Amino acid sequence: MLTDFVLQRLDAATEEGAEGVEPVYWRLYRVLQDAIFGGSLEAGTQLPPSRQLARELGISRNTVIRAYEQLSAEGYVRGGVGSGTFVADTNPDRLVGSPYNNKSRASPRENRAGMFLPRATFSQRGMALTDGAGAGTRQWGAFMPGVPDVRMFPLRIWSRLSNRALRRPSPELLSYAVGPGYAPLRTALASYLRTARGVRCTPEQLIVTFGIHTCLQLIAYMLCDAGERVWMEDPGYWGVRSVLRAAGVDVLPAPVDHEGLQFARHVRQTQTGQQPVPRLIVVSPSHQYPLGAVMSLARRRQLLEYARSARCWVVEDDYDSEFRYGSRPLPSLQGLDEAGRVLYMGTFSKVLFPGLRMGYLVVPEDLAEGFTLGLAEIYRGGQYLLQAVMADFIAEGHFVSHIRRMRLVYAERRQCLLDAIRSRFGDAFPIQDEAVGLHTALRLPTGCDDGAISAAALADGVITRPLSGYYINRRHRQPGLVLGYGHVDPKDIPAHFDTVARAIARHI
Amino acid sequence: MLTDFVLQRLDAATEEGAEGVEPVYWRLYRVLQDAIFGGSLEAGTQLPPSRQLARELGISRNTVIRAYEQLSAEGYVRGGVGSGTFVADTNPDRLVGSPYNNKSRASPRENRAGMFLPRATFSQRGMALTDGAGAGTRQWGAFMPGVPDVRMFPLRIWSRLSNRALRRPSPELLSYAVGPGYAPLRTALASYLRTARGVRCTPEQLIVTFGIHTCLQLIAYMLCDAGERVWMEDPGYWGVRSVLRAAGVDVLPAPVDHEGLQFARHVRQTQTGQQPVPRLIVVSPSHQYPLGAVMSLARRRQLLEYARSARCWVVEDDYDSEFRYGSRPLPSLQGLDEAGRVLYMGTFSKVLFPGLRMGYLVVPEDLAEGFTLGLAEIYRGGQYLLQAVMADFIAEGHFVSHIRRMRLVYAERRQCLLDAIRSRFGDAFPIQDEAVGLHTALRLPTGCDDGAISAAALADGVITRPLSGYYINRRHRQPGLVLGYGHVDPKDIPAHFDTVARAIARHI
């Protein structure tokens, strides 16, 4: 089929090419190059072996090799001796772009001129990572979701504790780490998690990491082999998708409703043999990201029961549930688990500040030793000096009082944003908000282009995230805007939301 | 074949089992369990589907399923519906052990009694990570290799710079990181690397990470797909092996001589099509770990020429070459590279302290943007507050003066250890030491058990690492002891070495 396609176009190229002065390899190169740019040859397609294509086209093998080499030198294809030649992903705005970068799409010709990245150099998984990049290039400013008000972190207290730790640290605090984390930090954390989050754990079950990403990567390595199946929420956190895909597991999205993850259909399919039992099911039950649902107790029980019977693992991402306004925070899913099938991930990014890059993992007792070894092999352990400061910060009560203080601050800002939305739009657009966390999701009418709205708001200086960008399954996509209020001064919220509202009005 | 094996033993079990009171599923379970323990069924072997085995043994399928379930519940096999049943790795002292843990090998029965880890829960790659674990459970004390004297780090200066950074940090320093690292740190580092290490780079080529492990993992993700080939030094750093294997690449060891990596044979095999061109070649040219060779200029040129022509990448691990005694440090391999094929990895673990967990990567210009995106997706960026302190530490000259001071300290300790070795053994054992770094390798006669010697020394309180543990290819294995002198008080070196010498004498 490819041969027919090339033959037709080779003939056409010969006709176009004036007196046929172009050598055959060059014509072949141009035909393939155009096919790659035009999209007729998709990224990842394997080209026929040079010997085969030469025979089928009735030209010499060296001619084909030369054309392939030219394509390879320019980054249109990749491959090596014996490993086959594959069409590279040559769409440059996908490499630097993302749903959030809001770069305008260039025409193929402009793409070609603007192609500055050597696409053929990156691996397929490297390209998948950068093509689907979720991390934005701006991480501070209204209404960037998920960012706490770092300006209110008690740096003076932190500085004092830090100086104390630096005064006469034992060499072990400065050297290579041994074990799953600094013991006093694990003790302080276990006690906090038991009381505040209903997590059933001992310090021995805690592993201290560089954040949720590292927690999930370690889980994927330790519990899943490449090609094994993982279910995740759709829409969901882009970081979960990126980390899991890079780790080679097969990510299957599952839809989300007001009770959280809808896994019933997937479960039936595993029972009828239509799909394999997953190794992991990754959920954010306390505050679904980004839609905000709190998983119902019925759904929690179903999930735990399925995990128990199918012997798969549930990964609970509890990233910001400390900030629950009005009622007491729901206890963790882990606390309901009688069968030891839940791995609980937490982070200091939301409750303290993201630049700490510190998170933690609670694993079932019998996994702790293996995870500790894996941590040392993959990351060479942690930052015990920093962990010692954190241990004191928690043990001396600063952690809990900071959370308590910020809960009031964020509650006011949330109300302020909800008021701004209502005063501008009334009840025209549903707001998805369960009074938890640092962000809210504003739904927009089906069919409207939330990417364009987000871009327009950004042009006027306000960051938002288009809801559609959080979906893996295109058929589930719903437009909307995810708005973070945590780090925005309440007095500025109405004006910033007016900017967003103008962008919405222009696009509806 | 397996069926015959099982049939024979089932009969035997029936005869042994008195009146045949044991149910069939239990006998089948025992036969398979014994075969797994005895090693007749190796880890990773796939058991026949229950339907097939039932038919071949002439028993009911439910009986086979029940036996498999029992084996699975006890961790002897792993697998799920539709994905096949595989023999798990049930050797517990490999899970918690390593060449350095020096646990005595228990008999199979003791293994069985001592089996406390649910082996069937971990993935194959998770088990490979823990089975081959290289990180020891003690990281401080004579003669743990690769550990600097963290007690001499100028904590007071660090504390002062840290307080200054904490006084009024911009929110961006505390929030999620954007980009490849804090810009002033990349500027300071680029300038240092150009001057001190002959690295040709601009700040735009620098990516700040959590250390060498993270550098290498990012490289493996961005440049290699699962199953692609990487060459590494044998013996080499266990961390390189662990990170690469977890990332799913195919690690091929290559021997090392006094000029560094011997890759000529591998190169010939790629040219004759006997093996694929590697995507990466990972080397430590300034100070081969652990043997100490400095790669010759001729070998460097050959390596760069091969990388250029084969279009593969060279990863230069330059972990401790700042400490070169006597002569000027050799410039980096990266500085010789005209073709942009070298990725240079550095760390602050040796020059400052390991607990910082900070390293950096210099990539060719055209890879920088892709690597920056990958960094954000996989790790969610870095610790800009800590990076700001480091930037000041370098910019104000403390970095270079600490290195200069420590070079004298380590030179004295190295001499002290070499003297101790010579005074004890004369020239009986070759010492592999090129006057660089923080460790030296003492070769022992072929056939002697360096693991037992290391265990004996550890029992007397002195840490050493058996050289044989650093090899991937068992046929290359040479016995010896890797001895770190960096953090050992010179007055204690002779006594500690006497302990090692006694352990050697007892085993030769």
Side-chain angles (χ1 to χ4, degrees):
Chain A
M1 228 169 81
L2 178 68
T3 314
D4 292 345
F5 173 90
V6 171
L7 268 178
Q8 279 172 21
R9 276 159 189 76
L10 263 186
D11 291 343
T14 310
E15 278 157 32
E16 279 173 28
E19 329 303 309
V21 285
E22 284 184 352
V24 179
Y25 93 87
W26 186 255
R27 273 152 46 204
L28 179 58
Y29 152 78
R30 280 204 315 161
V31 164
L32 290 171
Q33 183 204 42
D34 281 347
I36 291 168
F37 262 120
S40 335
L41 282 177
E42 284 186 351
T45 309
Q46 180 166 17
L47 297 183
S50 54
R51 196 184 298 276
Q52 180 194 328
L53 188 62
R55 200 177 50 234
E56 294 177 351
L57 294 176
I59 58 181
S60 96
R61 190 183 167 207
N62 277 342
T63 304
V64 177
I65 290 175
R66 208 164 157 202
Y68 280 13
E69 279 177 349
Q70 185 68 30
L71 289 166
S72 170
E74 295 184 25
Y76 296 95
V77 300
R78 55 171 297 200
V81 178
S83 62
T85 304
F86 293 87
V87 175
D89 191 341
T90 50
N91 198 345
D93 65 355
R94 279 171 63 203
L95 180 58
V96 294
S98 78
Y100 318 119
N101 280 13
N102 304 306
K103 280 189 80 170
S104 62
R105 263 180 194 283
S107 76
R109 284 290 141 184
E110 285 169 323
N111 274 356
R112 200 160 169 178
M115 196 173 69
F116 56 96
L117 283 162
R119 303 304 312 266
T121 54
F122 291 112
S123 63
Q124 297 290 329
R125 64 181 170 191
M127 288 193 280
L129 266 181
T130 52
D131 286 355
T137 50
R138 284 183 59 182
Q139 297 280 349
W140 183 258
F143 291 106
M144 174 71 201
V147 177
D149 200 334
V150 300
R151 294 165 303 187
M152 301 182 77
F153 179 74
L155 284 170
R156 203 170 297 182
I157 295 173
W158 188 263
S159 198
R160 179 165 57 75
L161 299 179
S162 181
N163 286 334
R164 198 168 68 193
L166 282 166
R167 211 158 296 147
R168 208 165 250 295
S170 77
E172 282 83 357
L173 283 185
L174 301 179
S175 199
Y176 289 105
V178 171
Y182 185 58
L185 174 59
R186 289 186 289 113
T187 304
L189 257 180
S191 158
Y192 163 75
L193 290 173
R194 278 193 303 266
T195 315
R197 306 291 308 117
V199 173
R200 288 194 276 194
C201 67
T202 63
E204 287 66 39
Q205 291 171 255
L206 268 152
I207 318 274
V208 185
T209 70
F210 296 112
I212 294 276
H213 284 230
T214 319
C215 289
L216 189 61
Q217 190 181 50
L218 187 60
I219 293 170
Y221 277 159
M222 294 306 297
L223 299 180
C224 307
D225 279 307
E228 288 188 319
R229 180 63 61 91
V230 175
W231 297 347
M232 75 168 277
E233 299 164 335
D234 194 34
Y237 175 46
W238 55 264
V240 168
R241 187 189 56 200
S242 288
V243 169
L244 290 174
R245 282 191 179 159
V249 300
D250 177 22
V251 177
L252 189 75
V256 161
D257 64 10
H258 63 286
E259 289 189 78
L261 186 78
Q262 292 182 288
F263 47 86
R265 202 171 127 259
H266 284 330
V267 166
R268 273 196 307 277
Q269 291 184 339
T270 64
Q271 285 160 346
T272 55
Q274 289 168 274
Q275 61 155 297
V277 169
R279 288 290 284 170
L280 311 176
I281 304 173
V282 186
V283 289
S284 47
S286 302
H287 188 217
Q288 200 277 326
Y289 192 85
L291 286 183
V294 177
M295 189 181 276
S296 67
L297 191 58
R299 196 68 66 78
R300 285 171 194 238
R301 286 194 167 144
Q302 284 164 11
L303 182 59
L304 293 175
E305 175 51 30
Y306 177 69
R308 192 192 61 72
S309 66
R311 296 188 175 210
C312 62
W313 305 98
V314 175
V315 179
E316 176 175 20
D317 180 1
D318 196 14
Y319 60 101
D320 73 356
S321 68
E322 277 88 354
F323 302 122
R324 185 165 179 88
Y325 318 113
S327 58
R328 247 182 83 87
L330 269 179
S332 66
L333 184 66
Q334 197 265 8
L336 284 178
D337 172 31
E338 304 284 350
R341 306 305 304 184
V342 176
L343 293 95
Y344 175 95
M345 311 192 292
T347 174
F348 295 115
S349 292
K350 312 298 181 187
V351 290
L352 302 184
F353 60 93
L356 268 173
R357 307 287 347 111
M358 202 187 289
Y360 46 90
L361 183 58
V362 179
V363 301
E365 267 173 45
D366 46 8
L367 299 186
E369 182 159 1
F371 270 72
T372 301
L373 287 170
L375 182 81
E377 293 300 305
I378 300 295
Y379 312 102
R380 197 77 213 253
Q383 302 170 309
Y384 277 16
L385 191 69
L386 197 65
Q387 292 183 19
V389 179
M390 183 65 84
D392 288 346
F393 192 79
I394 298 176
E396 294 188 5
H398 310 297
F399 185 69
V400 168
S401 38
H402 183 62
I403 291 174
R404 203 174 293 136
R405 176 176 171 229
M406 296 311 289
R407 195 181 285 134
L408 296 176
V409 169
Y410 296 144
E412 182 200 355
R413 294 177 182 188
R414 169 177 169 271
Q415 196 52 55
C416 199
L417 176 61
L418 296 182
D419 291 347
I421 295 173
R422 290 219 181 81
S423 80
R424 189 73 200 219
F425 293 118
D427 291 330
F429 306 132
I431 299 166
Q432 221 152 338
D433 187 289
E434 298 281 338
V436 192
L438 303 171
H439 72 271
T440 199
L442 178 69
R443 296 286 202 136
L444 294 172
T446 306
C448 96
D449 183 351
D450 56 0
I453 294 170
S454 184
L458 187 65
D460 290 337
V462 179
I463 308 170
T464 61
R465 294 243 167 155
L467 180 59
S468 60
Y470 291 94
Y471 288 85
I472 295 179
N473 188 332
R474 288 169 171 270
R475 286 183 300 124
H476 295 163
R477 273 193 190 171
Q478 298 284 342
L481 295 175
V482 182
L483 305 170
Y485 48 76
H487 62 306
V488 191
D489 280 328
K491 65 172 170 37
D492 299 333
I493 287 179
H496 286 317
F497 187 73
D498 275 353
T499 305
V500 177
R502 278 194 303 274
I504 293 174
R506 259 178 288 159
H507 285 83
I508 284 190
Chain B
M1 225 168 84
L2 177 68
T3 312
D4 293 344
F5 173 88
V6 172
L7 268 177
Q8 281 171 19
R9 276 159 190 77
L10 264 185
D11 290 342
T14 309
E15 278 156 32
E16 280 172 30
E19 331 301 308
V21 283
E22 282 185 351
V24 180
Y25 93 86
W26 187 256
R27 273 151 45 203
L28 178 58
Y29 152 77
R30 280 205 314 162
V31 165
L32 291 171
Q33 185 204 42
D34 280 348
I36 292 169
F37 264 121
S40 337
L41 281 177
E42 284 186 351
T45 308
Q46 181 166 17
L47 297 184
S50 54
R51 195 186 300 276
Q52 181 194 325
L53 188 62
R55 201 179 47 236
E56 293 177 350
L57 295 176
I59 59 181
S60 97
R61 189 181 168 210
N62 276 343
T63 303
V64 177
I65 289 175
R66 209 165 156 200
Y68 279 14
E69 279 176 350
Q70 186 68 30
L71 289 166
S72 171
E74 294 183 26
Y76 296 95
V77 300
R78 55 169 299 199
V81 178
S83 62
T85 305
F86 294 85
V87 175
D89 191 339
T90 50
N91 199 344
D93 65 354
R94 281 171 62 201
L95 181 59
V96 295
S98 77
Y100 318 118
N101 281 12
N102 303 307
K103 282 188 82 167
S104 62
R105 265 181 192 279
S107 77
R109 283 290 141 187
E110 284 168 322
N111 272 356
R112 201 160 170 176
M115 195 174 67
F116 55 96
L117 283 163
R119 303 305 310 265
T121 57
F122 291 112
S123 62
Q124 298 290 329
R125 64 180 171 193
M127 288 192 280
L129 266 181
T130 52
D131 285 355
T137 50
R138 284 184 60 183
Q139 297 281 347
W140 183 258
F143 291 106
M144 174 71 201
V147 177
D149 200 334
V150 301
R151 295 165 303 187
M152 301 183 77
F153 179 74
L155 283 170
R156 203 170 297 182
I157 296 173
W158 187 264
S159 198
R160 179 166 57 76
L161 299 179
S162 182
N163 286 333
R164 198 167 68 193
L166 282 166
R167 209 157 297 145
R168 208 164 251 296
S170 76
E172 282 84 356
L173 282 185
L174 301 179
S175 198
Y176 289 105
V178 172
Y182 185 57
L185 174 59
R186 288 186 288 115
T187 303
L189 257 180
S191 158
Y192 163 75
L193 290 173
R194 278 193 303 265
T195 315
R197 304 293 307 117
V199 173
R200 290 194 275 193
C201 67
T202 63
E204 286 67 40
Q205 292 172 255
L206 269 152
I207 317 273
V208 186
T209 71
F210 296 112
I212 294 275
H213 283 230
T214 318
C215 288
L216 189 61
Q217 190 182 49
L218 187 59
I219 294 170
Y221 276 160
M222 294 306 297
L223 299 180
C224 307
D225 280 307
E228 288 189 319
R229 180 63 61 91
V230 174
W231 296 348
M232 74 167 277
E233 297 165 336
D234 195 31
Y237 175 46
W238 56 265
V240 168
R241 186 189 57 198
S242 287
V243 169
L244 291 174
R245 282 190 179 160
V249 300
D250 176 22
V251 177
L252 190 75
V256 162
D257 65 9
H258 64 287
E259 290 188 79
L261 186 79
Q262 291 182 288
F263 47 87
R265 201 169 129 261
H266 283 331
V267 165
R268 273 197 305 280
Q269 291 184 339
T270 64
Q271 286 160 348
T272 55
Q274 289 167 275
Q275 61 156 297
V277 170
R279 288 290 285 168
L280 311 176
I281 305 172
V282 186
V283 289
S284 48
S286 302
H287 187 217
Q288 201 277 327
Y289 191 83
L291 285 183
V294 177
M295 190 182 275
S296 67
L297 193 58
R299 197 68 67 79
R300 285 170 195 240
R301 286 193 166 145
Q302 284 164 8
L303 182 60
L304 293 175
E305 176 50 30
Y306 177 69
R308 193 191 60 74
S309 66
R311 296 190 173 210
C312 62
W313 305 97
V314 175
V315 179
E316 176 175 18
D317 180 359
D318 195 15
Y319 60 102
D320 73 355
S321 68
E322 278 86 354
F323 302 120
R324 185 166 179 88
Y325 318 113
S327 59
R328 248 183 82 87
L330 268 180
S332 67
L333 184 65
Q334 195 267 9
L336 283 178
D337 172 30
E338 303 283 349
R341 306 305 304 184
V342 176
L343 292 95
Y344 175 96
M345 310 193 294
T347 174
F348 295 115
S349 291
K350 311 300 181 187
V351 289
L352 302 183
F353 60 93
L356 268 174
R357 306 288 347 111
M358 201 187 291
Y360 46 89
L361 183 58
V362 179
V363 300
E365 268 175 43
D366 47 7
L367 299 186
E369 183 158 1
F371 270 71
T372 301
L373 287 170
L375 181 81
E377 293 301 304
I378 301 295
Y379 312 101
R380 197 74 212 256
Q383 302 170 307
Y384 278 16
L385 192 69
L386 198 65
Q387 292 184 18
V389 180
M390 183 65 85
D392 288 346
F393 192 79
I394 298 176
E396 294 187 6
H398 310 297
F399 186 68
V400 169
S401 38
H402 183 61
I403 291 173
R404 203 174 292 136
R405 176 175 171 231
M406 296 312 289
R407 196 181 285 135
L408 296 176
V409 170
Y410 296 145
E412 182 200 355
R413 295 177 182 187
R414 169 177 168 270
Q415 197 51 55
C416 199
L417 176 61
L418 296 181
D419 290 348
I421 295 172
R422 288 217 182 84
S423 80
R424 189 72 199 221
F425 292 117
D427 291 328
F429 306 132
I431 299 167
Q432 222 153 335
D433 186 290
E434 298 281 338
V436 192
L438 303 171
H439 72 270
T440 199
L442 178 70
R443 298 285 203 138
L444 295 172
T446 306
C448 97
D449 184 352
D450 56 0
I453 294 170
S454 183
L458 188 65
D460 290 336
V462 178
I463 308 168
T464 60
R465 293 244 167 156
L467 181 59
S468 61
Y470 291 93
Y471 287 84
I472 295 179
N473 188 332
R474 288 169 171 272
R475 285 184 300 125
H476 295 164
R477 274 193 188 170
Q478 299 284 341
L481 294 175
V482 182
L483 305 169
Y485 48 78
H487 60 306
V488 191
D489 281 328
K491 63 174 172 34
D492 299 333
I493 286 178
H496 286 317
F497 188 73
D498 274 354
T499 305
V500 176
R502 278 195 302 275
I504 294 174
R506 258 177 290 158
H507 284 83
I508 285 192

